Amino acid sequence: MNEKKTINIDLKQYSMIIILVVVYLLFAVITKGMNMTPASVNNLVMQNSYVVILAVGMLLCCLTGNVDLSVGSTVAVAGAAAGIAIVDMGMPSPVAMIFGLLVGLGFGLFNGFFIAYVGIPPFITTLATMLMGRGLTYTVLAAQTKGPLPGSYTFLGSGFLPSIKIAGNIDLICCLVAAVVTALLILSELNGITTRKKYNFPAYPVWQLAVKDAVIIVIVWFFMLKLGANRGLPIVLIVMAALVGLYHYITTMTVAGRQVYAMGGNAKAAQLSGIDTKKVFFWVYTNMGVLAGLAGVVLSSRNASATPKAGDAFEMDAIASCYIGGAACAGGIGTIIGAVVGAFIMGTLNIGMTLMGLGTDAQKIVKGAVLLGAVTFDLVSKRKK
């Protein structure tokens, strides 16, 4: 009779989620629950939307062992282009949004060409693009703000799905979303158990799986109920969820995703194994430009205007989110989910410190310390291994 093999869940896989929960609860104690109000939870999602969008694209750059310093300027130029298209040219809002995305695509193609086919290091290329993009923003906007932008445009960054209230202040749509996520999580867990039994892999203890899933389900329902108690499900949250799902699939289930990881692990070995490293660099940075353009459209939509200062230091938030979320400095290690969790850790810090009354200078010190700590932890843990 074969003895049933079991293996404990590796908590390191969920360390960032645990840190996010701890940080959130810590600020809940410090601010006496102010960060847990429906309005604060809504702000966490809305104000963090651009960081999540940028972090999704930035992770691919980090996986190659590089970063993109131009995303903040690309956000500004894309938002400015969309604002000018509406205010000065009278374009319909959907066309203006596409115009903003095309501007981001142009910046991505520019970076990708010089990095992949001219051979200029990504740091230098994107630094140059950052400077040119910021100057271009001030030039096309003449250092002025374009706005106000119409409601047909601002719905993307500040709009909500229609709210259907039940049992007082509970939103039916948010409850349905939470129920679907719960069902998918349970089905995924059951499928994993069945697969492990089929191939005789060591099984996880049922109680550990139950605790893990219960924590995730509680988090999902908490945020959905809080959003429902405010104004319902934000449109931008749907956009973020779609992007996270798409890029999680790309990085885990496609050849293109595996090639990016291979390049970060050992670019020379990847090239010798037949991977076209130039093509990988090109699509990764072109993709980053498109997502930066989308972030620019979302930001200008939320602000209902396009400003020359838009996107200032956004690249730092995106890069920090990836490294806090577990991306390795040398590349080849990191996940989309980790980058998103890192972005929400940054967002939780921002909102928590704001509610505490800390100024922007102090907030930068704290965020810098958190980033340094995350990278130090990554390097020290690798040396021990």
mmCIF file of all heavy atoms in Angstrom, residues 51-96:
data_model
loop_
_atom_site.group_PDB
_atom_site.id
_atom_site.type_symbol
_atom_site.label_atom_id
_atom_site.label_comp_id
_atom_site.label_asym_id
_atom_site.label_seq_id
_atom_site.Cartn_x
_atom_site.Cartn_y
_atom_site.Cartn_z
ATOM 1 N N VAL A 51 -0.719 53.140 -11.840
ATOM 2 C CA VAL A 51 0.456 52.397 -11.380
ATOM 3 C C VAL A 51 0.327 50.925 -11.773
ATOM 4 O O VAL A 51 1.293 50.303 -12.228
ATOM 5 C CB VAL A 51 0.640 52.522 -9.855
ATOM 6 C CG1 VAL A 51 1.886 51.771 -9.412
ATOM 7 C CG2 VAL A 51 0.739 53.974 -9.442
ATOM 8 N N VAL A 52 -0.863 50.357 -11.605
ATOM 9 C CA VAL A 52 -1.081 48.958 -11.967
ATOM 10 C C VAL A 52 -0.860 48.754 -13.461
ATOM 11 O O VAL A 52 -0.181 47.801 -13.886
ATOM 12 C CB VAL A 52 -2.495 48.505 -11.559
ATOM 13 C CG1 VAL A 52 -2.792 47.105 -12.097
ATOM 14 C CG2 VAL A 52 -2.644 48.528 -10.039
ATOM 15 N N ILE A 53 -1.422 49.632 -14.273
ATOM 16 C CA ILE A 53 -1.279 49.516 -15.730
ATOM 17 C C ILE A 53 0.193 49.590 -16.133
ATOM 18 O O ILE A 53 0.684 48.792 -16.938
ATOM 19 C CB ILE A 53 -2.096 50.608 -16.439
ATOM 20 C CG1 ILE A 53 -3.593 50.387 -16.201
ATOM 21 C CG2 ILE A 53 -1.795 50.618 -17.944
ATOM 22 C CD1 ILE A 53 -4.467 51.529 -16.678
ATOM 23 N N LEU A 54 0.923 50.548 -15.560
ATOM 24 C CA LEU A 54 2.339 50.694 -15.883
ATOM 25 C C LEU A 54 3.160 49.533 -15.339
ATOM 26 O O LEU A 54 4.102 49.067 -15.992
ATOM 27 C CB LEU A 54 2.874 52.014 -15.324
ATOM 28 C CG LEU A 54 2.322 53.294 -15.948
ATOM 29 C CD1 LEU A 54 2.876 54.517 -15.225
ATOM 30 C CD2 LEU A 54 2.673 53.368 -17.434
ATOM 31 N N ALA A 55 2.811 49.044 -14.141
ATOM 32 C CA ALA A 55 3.572 47.948 -13.537
ATOM 33 C C ALA A 55 3.453 46.669 -14.354
ATOM 34 O O ALA A 55 4.416 45.888 -14.438
ATOM 35 C CB ALA A 55 3.095 47.709 -12.102
ATOM 36 N N VAL A 56 2.296 46.448 -14.970
ATOM 37 C CA VAL A 56 2.102 45.254 -15.801
ATOM 38 C C VAL A 56 3.095 45.254 -16.962
ATOM 39 O O VAL A 56 3.741 44.239 -17.257
ATOM 40 C CB VAL A 56 0.653 45.195 -16.317
ATOM 41 C CG1 VAL A 56 0.519 44.168 -17.434
ATOM 42 C CG2 VAL A 56 -0.303 44.847 -15.181
ATOM 43 N N GLY A 57 3.237 46.405 -17.620
ATOM 44 C CA GLY A 57 4.192 46.490 -18.716
ATOM 45 C C GLY A 57 5.626 46.544 -18.235
ATOM 46 O O GLY A 57 6.528 45.954 -18.854
ATOM 47 N N MET A 58 5.854 47.249 -17.119
ATOM 48 C CA MET A 58 7.214 47.400 -16.608
ATOM 49 C C MET A 58 7.802 46.063 -16.174
ATOM 50 O O MET A 58 9.013 45.857 -16.254
ATOM 51 C CB MET A 58 7.220 48.381 -15.432
ATOM 52 C CG MET A 58 8.606 48.756 -14.935
ATOM 53 S SD MET A 58 9.589 49.670 -16.153
ATOM 54 C CE MET A 58 8.736 51.263 -16.109
ATOM 55 N N LEU A 59 6.940 45.137 -15.699
ATOM 56 C CA LEU A 59 7.460 43.846 -15.267
ATOM 57 C C LEU A 59 8.176 43.138 -16.412
ATOM 58 O O LEU A 59 9.231 42.521 -16.206
ATOM 59 C CB LEU A 59 6.324 42.959 -14.744
ATOM 60 C CG LEU A 59 6.819 41.567 -14.329
ATOM 61 C CD1 LEU A 59 7.603 41.642 -13.027
ATOM 62 C CD2 LEU A 59 5.688 40.581 -14.230
ATOM 63 N N LEU A 60 7.631 43.228 -17.620
ATOM 64 C CA LEU A 60 8.273 42.579 -18.762
ATOM 65 C C LEU A 60 9.654 43.174 -19.004
ATOM 66 O O LEU A 60 10.601 42.450 -19.334
ATOM 67 C CB LEU A 60 7.404 42.725 -20.006
ATOM 68 C CG LEU A 60 6.009 42.092 -19.932
ATOM 69 C CD1 LEU A 60 5.256 42.319 -21.233
ATOM 70 C CD2 LEU A 60 6.103 40.609 -19.630
ATOM 71 N N CYS A 61 9.779 44.491 -18.835
ATOM 72 C CA CYS A 61 11.092 45.130 -18.972
ATOM 73 C C CYS A 61 12.034 44.638 -17.873
ATOM 74 O O CYS A 61 13.204 44.349 -18.130
ATOM 75 C CB CYS A 61 10.958 46.653 -18.907
ATOM 76 S SG CYS A 61 9.916 47.391 -20.194
ATOM 77 N N CYS A 62 11.513 44.537 -16.648
ATOM 78 C CA CYS A 62 12.328 44.069 -15.529
ATOM 79 C C CYS A 62 12.762 42.622 -15.728
ATOM 80 O O CYS A 62 13.862 42.234 -15.327
ATOM 81 C CB CYS A 62 11.557 44.199 -14.216
ATOM 82 S SG CYS A 62 11.244 45.905 -13.685
ATOM 83 N N LEU A 63 11.919 41.810 -16.350
ATOM 84 C CA LEU A 63 12.272 40.410 -16.587
ATOM 85 C C LEU A 63 13.456 40.285 -17.543
ATOM 86 O O LEU A 63 14.198 39.299 -17.493
ATOM 87 C CB LEU A 63 11.072 39.648 -17.153
ATOM 88 C CG LEU A 63 9.925 39.374 -16.183
ATOM 89 C CD1 LEU A 63 8.765 38.704 -16.893
ATOM 90 C CD2 LEU A 63 10.385 38.529 -15.002
ATOM 91 N N THR A 64 13.644 41.272 -18.419
ATOM 92 C CA THR A 64 14.816 41.250 -19.308
ATOM 93 C C THR A 64 16.054 41.800 -18.612
ATOM 94 O O THR A 64 17.137 41.835 -19.210
ATOM 95 C CB THR A 64 14.548 42.083 -20.577
ATOM 96 O OG1 THR A 64 14.433 43.473 -20.237
ATOM 97 C CG2 THR A 64 13.290 41.625 -21.286
ATOM 98 N N GLY A 65 15.905 42.256 -17.363
ATOM 99 C CA GLY A 65 17.028 42.826 -16.628
ATOM 100 C C GLY A 65 17.178 44.310 -16.818
ATOM 101 O O GLY A 65 18.231 44.875 -16.504
ATOM 102 N N ASN A 66 16.115 44.970 -17.327
ATOM 103 C CA ASN A 66 16.180 46.406 -17.613
ATOM 104 C C ASN A 66 14.912 47.094 -17.109
ATOM 105 O O ASN A 66 14.014 46.439 -16.573
ATOM 106 C CB ASN A 66 16.332 46.642 -19.124
ATOM 107 C CG ASN A 66 17.553 45.967 -19.703
ATOM 108 O OD1 ASN A 66 18.662 46.461 -19.598
ATOM 109 N ND2 ASN A 66 17.353 44.803 -20.330
ATOM 110 N N VAL A 67 14.838 48.411 -17.300
ATOM 111 C CA VAL A 67 13.649 49.177 -16.961
ATOM 112 C C VAL A 67 13.361 50.159 -18.085
ATOM 113 O O VAL A 67 14.163 50.316 -19.008
ATOM 114 C CB VAL A 67 13.814 49.949 -15.622
ATOM 115 C CG1 VAL A 67 13.952 48.992 -14.458
ATOM 116 C CG2 VAL A 67 15.006 50.902 -15.690
ATOM 117 N N ASP A 68 12.224 50.817 -18.005
ATOM 118 C CA ASP A 68 11.846 51.864 -18.962
ATOM 119 C C ASP A 68 11.631 53.161 -18.194
ATOM 120 O O ASP A 68 10.669 53.280 -17.431
ATOM 121 C CB ASP A 68 10.576 51.467 -19.718
ATOM 122 C CG ASP A 68 10.252 52.417 -20.870
ATOM 123 O OD1 ASP A 68 10.745 53.564 -20.842
ATOM 124 O OD2 ASP A 68 9.502 52.014 -21.780
ATOM 125 N N LEU A 69 12.528 54.112 -18.383
ATOM 126 C CA LEU A 69 12.450 55.384 -17.662
ATOM 127 C C LEU A 69 11.534 56.394 -18.338
ATOM 128 O O LEU A 69 11.291 57.465 -17.785
ATOM 129 C CB LEU A 69 13.853 56.001 -17.532
ATOM 130 C CG LEU A 69 14.879 55.194 -16.745
ATOM 131 C CD1 LEU A 69 16.241 55.880 -16.797
ATOM 132 C CD2 LEU A 69 14.436 55.017 -15.305
ATOM 133 N N SER A 70 11.026 56.061 -19.521
ATOM 134 C CA SER A 70 10.270 57.041 -20.296
ATOM 135 C C SER A 70 8.770 56.982 -20.081
ATOM 136 O O SER A 70 8.030 57.778 -20.665
ATOM 137 C CB SER A 70 10.555 56.856 -21.794
ATOM 138 O OG SER A 70 10.023 55.618 -22.261
ATOM 139 N N VAL A 71 8.276 56.050 -19.242
ATOM 140 C CA VAL A 71 6.830 55.837 -19.166
ATOM 141 C C VAL A 71 6.092 57.058 -18.609
ATOM 142 O O VAL A 71 4.978 57.365 -19.040
ATOM 143 C CB VAL A 71 6.494 54.581 -18.338
ATOM 144 C CG1 VAL A 71 7.005 53.334 -19.027
ATOM 145 C CG2 VAL A 71 7.049 54.673 -16.938
ATOM 146 N N GLY A 72 6.697 57.771 -17.656
ATOM 147 C CA GLY A 72 6.038 58.960 -17.112
ATOM 148 C C GLY A 72 5.830 60.019 -18.176
ATOM 149 O O GLY A 72 4.748 60.623 -18.286
ATOM 150 N N SER A 73 6.855 60.251 -19.000
ATOM 151 C CA SER A 73 6.740 61.232 -20.080
ATOM 152 C C SER A 73 5.764 60.764 -21.149
ATOM 153 O O SER A 73 5.012 61.571 -21.720
ATOM 154 C CB SER A 73 8.117 61.487 -20.708
ATOM 155 O OG SER A 73 9.002 62.051 -19.776
ATOM 156 N N THR A 74 5.753 59.463 -21.422
ATOM 157 C CA THR A 74 4.804 58.926 -22.397
ATOM 158 C C THR A 74 3.371 59.106 -21.913
ATOM 159 O O THR A 74 2.474 59.426 -22.700
ATOM 160 C CB THR A 74 5.094 57.438 -22.662
ATOM 161 O OG1 THR A 74 6.445 57.272 -23.053
ATOM 162 C CG2 THR A 74 4.186 56.896 -23.760
ATOM 163 N N VAL A 75 3.147 58.896 -20.619
ATOM 164 C CA VAL A 75 1.830 59.149 -20.025
ATOM 165 C C VAL A 75 1.410 60.592 -20.268
ATOM 166 O O VAL A 75 0.269 60.866 -20.667
ATOM 167 C CB VAL A 75 1.861 58.849 -18.506
ATOM 168 C CG1 VAL A 75 0.629 59.432 -17.813
ATOM 169 C CG2 VAL A 75 1.931 57.351 -18.260
ATOM 170 N N ALA A 76 2.334 61.522 -20.054
ATOM 171 C CA ALA A 76 2.018 62.950 -20.224
ATOM 172 C C ALA A 76 1.702 63.280 -21.674
ATOM 173 O O ALA A 76 0.729 63.990 -21.966
ATOM 174 C CB ALA A 76 3.187 63.792 -19.719
ATOM 175 N N VAL A 77 2.527 62.786 -22.599
ATOM 176 C CA VAL A 77 2.323 63.097 -24.023
ATOM 177 C C VAL A 77 1.017 62.480 -24.526
ATOM 178 O O VAL A 77 0.260 63.110 -25.276
ATOM 179 C CB VAL A 77 3.508 62.600 -24.871
ATOM 180 C CG1 VAL A 77 3.270 62.893 -26.346
ATOM 181 C CG2 VAL A 77 4.795 63.262 -24.419
ATOM 182 N N ALA A 78 0.740 61.231 -24.133
ATOM 183 C CA ALA A 78 -0.491 60.568 -24.580
ATOM 184 C C ALA A 78 -1.719 61.302 -24.067
ATOM 185 O O ALA A 78 -2.690 61.519 -24.817
ATOM 186 C CB ALA A 78 -0.499 59.115 -24.111
ATOM 187 N N GLY A 79 -1.701 61.704 -22.790
ATOM 188 C CA GLY A 79 -2.818 62.469 -22.246
ATOM 189 C C GLY A 79 -2.967 63.817 -22.926
ATOM 190 O O GLY A 79 -4.090 64.261 -23.213
ATOM 191 N N ALA A 80 -1.836 64.469 -23.202
ATOM 192 C CA ALA A 80 -1.873 65.762 -23.895
ATOM 193 C C ALA A 80 -2.438 65.614 -25.298
ATOM 194 O O ALA A 80 -3.244 66.447 -25.756
ATOM 195 C CB ALA A 80 -0.464 66.361 -23.948
ATOM 196 N N ALA A 81 -2.029 64.549 -25.992
ATOM 197 C CA ALA A 81 -2.528 64.316 -27.359
ATOM 198 C C ALA A 81 -4.037 64.109 -27.359
ATOM 199 O O ALA A 81 -4.758 64.662 -28.208
ATOM 200 C CB ALA A 81 -1.822 63.106 -27.959
ATOM 201 N N ALA A 82 -4.537 63.318 -26.405
ATOM 202 C CA ALA A 82 -5.977 63.081 -26.321
ATOM 203 C C ALA A 82 -6.719 64.365 -25.970
ATOM 204 O O ALA A 82 -7.783 64.656 -26.537
ATOM 205 C CB ALA A 82 -6.266 61.995 -25.279
ATOM 206 N N GLY A 83 -6.160 65.166 -25.044
ATOM 207 C CA GLY A 83 -6.796 66.428 -24.664
ATOM 208 C C GLY A 83 -6.864 67.410 -25.818
ATOM 209 O O GLY A 83 -7.892 68.059 -26.047
ATOM 210 N N ILE A 84 -5.764 67.525 -26.567
ATOM 211 C CA ILE A 84 -5.743 68.424 -27.725
ATOM 212 C C ILE A 84 -6.726 67.950 -28.796
ATOM 213 O O ILE A 84 -7.416 68.746 -29.444
ATOM 214 C CB ILE A 84 -4.316 68.504 -28.296
ATOM 215 C CG1 ILE A 84 -3.401 69.252 -27.320
ATOM 216 C CG2 ILE A 84 -4.305 69.204 -29.656
ATOM 217 C CD1 ILE A 84 -1.940 69.216 -27.695
ATOM 218 N N ALA A 85 -6.793 66.622 -28.984
ATOM 219 C CA ALA A 85 -7.703 66.066 -29.988
ATOM 220 C C ALA A 85 -9.151 66.425 -29.690
ATOM 221 O O ALA A 85 -9.940 66.710 -30.610
ATOM 222 C CB ALA A 85 -7.542 64.549 -30.046
ATOM 223 N N ILE A 86 -9.516 66.456 -28.407
ATOM 224 C CA ILE A 86 -10.900 66.768 -28.031
ATOM 225 C C ILE A 86 -11.140 68.273 -28.008
ATOM 226 O O ILE A 86 -12.082 68.784 -28.626
ATOM 227 C CB ILE A 86 -11.228 66.154 -26.654
ATOM 228 C CG1 ILE A 86 -11.267 64.636 -26.740
ATOM 229 C CG2 ILE A 86 -12.573 66.676 -26.143
ATOM 230 C CD1 ILE A 86 -11.487 63.949 -25.412
ATOM 231 N N VAL A 87 -10.285 68.994 -27.293
ATOM 232 C CA VAL A 87 -10.527 70.421 -27.065
ATOM 233 C C VAL A 87 -10.257 71.259 -28.307
ATOM 234 O O VAL A 87 -11.055 72.124 -28.672
ATOM 235 C CB VAL A 87 -9.657 70.926 -25.887
ATOM 236 C CG1 VAL A 87 -9.826 72.439 -25.703
ATOM 237 C CG2 VAL A 87 -10.020 70.194 -24.599
ATOM 238 N N ASP A 88 -9.144 71.015 -28.980
ATOM 239 C CA ASP A 88 -8.747 71.855 -30.113
ATOM 240 C C ASP A 88 -9.248 71.339 -31.458
ATOM 241 O O ASP A 88 -9.542 72.127 -32.356
ATOM 242 C CB ASP A 88 -7.219 71.986 -30.162
ATOM 243 C CG ASP A 88 -6.667 72.734 -28.956
ATOM 244 O OD1 ASP A 88 -7.449 73.434 -28.283
ATOM 245 O OD2 ASP A 88 -5.457 72.612 -28.686
ATOM 246 N N MET A 89 -9.318 70.016 -31.609
ATOM 247 C CA MET A 89 -9.684 69.446 -32.899
ATOM 248 C C MET A 89 -11.126 68.971 -32.955
ATOM 249 O O MET A 89 -11.618 68.630 -34.028
ATOM 250 C CB MET A 89 -8.746 68.275 -33.250
ATOM 251 C CG MET A 89 -7.283 68.653 -33.319
ATOM 252 S SD MET A 89 -6.244 67.230 -33.737
ATOM 253 C CE MET A 89 -4.613 67.981 -33.687
ATOM 254 N N GLY A 90 -11.792 68.928 -31.810
ATOM 255 C CA GLY A 90 -13.190 68.515 -31.788
ATOM 256 C C GLY A 90 -13.429 67.059 -32.105
ATOM 257 O O GLY A 90 -14.522 66.682 -32.548
ATOM 258 N N MET A 91 -12.446 66.201 -31.852
ATOM 259 C CA MET A 91 -12.616 64.776 -32.141
ATOM 260 C C MET A 91 -13.541 64.124 -31.119
ATOM 261 O O MET A 91 -13.588 64.541 -29.960
ATOM 262 C CB MET A 91 -11.253 64.061 -32.096
ATOM 263 C CG MET A 91 -10.310 64.408 -33.214
ATOM 264 S SD MET A 91 -8.808 63.378 -33.105
ATOM 265 C CE MET A 91 -7.876 64.020 -34.504
ATOM 266 N N PRO A 92 -14.287 63.103 -31.519
ATOM 267 C CA PRO A 92 -15.084 62.340 -30.545
ATOM 268 C C PRO A 92 -14.175 61.679 -29.518
ATOM 269 O O PRO A 92 -13.014 61.378 -29.802
ATOM 270 C CB PRO A 92 -15.802 61.293 -31.416
ATOM 271 C CG PRO A 92 -15.725 61.824 -32.811
ATOM 272 C CD PRO A 92 -14.471 62.613 -32.896
ATOM 273 N N SER A 93 -14.702 61.431 -28.354
ATOM 274 C CA SER A 93 -13.901 60.863 -27.267
ATOM 275 C C SER A 93 -13.251 59.520 -27.616
ATOM 276 O O SER A 93 -12.060 59.323 -27.324
ATOM 277 C CB SER A 93 -14.766 60.715 -26.010
ATOM 278 O OG SER A 93 -15.154 61.983 -25.526
ATOM 279 N N PRO A 94 -13.984 58.566 -28.238
ATOM 280 C CA PRO A 94 -13.330 57.294 -28.585
ATOM 281 C C PRO A 94 -12.138 57.481 -29.523
ATOM 282 O O PRO A 94 -11.113 56.808 -29.378
ATOM 283 C CB PRO A 94 -14.450 56.491 -29.255
ATOM 284 C CG PRO A 94 -15.717 57.072 -28.706
ATOM 285 C CD PRO A 94 -15.425 58.534 -28.544
ATOM 286 N N VAL A 95 -12.281 58.400 -30.480
ATOM 287 C CA VAL A 95 -11.179 58.660 -31.419
ATOM 288 C C VAL A 95 -9.994 59.280 -30.682
ATOM 289 O O VAL A 95 -8.830 58.939 -30.937
ATOM 290 C CB VAL A 95 -11.644 59.587 -32.559
ATOM 291 C CG1 VAL A 95 -10.479 59.920 -33.497
ATOM 292 C CG2 VAL A 95 -12.777 58.941 -33.339
ATOM 293 N N ALA A 96 -10.285 60.184 -29.750
ATOM 294 C CA ALA A 96 -9.218 60.816 -28.969
ATOM 295 C C ALA A 96 -8.480 59.780 -28.122
ATOM 296 O O ALA A 96 -7.254 59.846 -27.971
ATOM 297 C CB ALA A 96 -9.798 61.909 -28.082
#
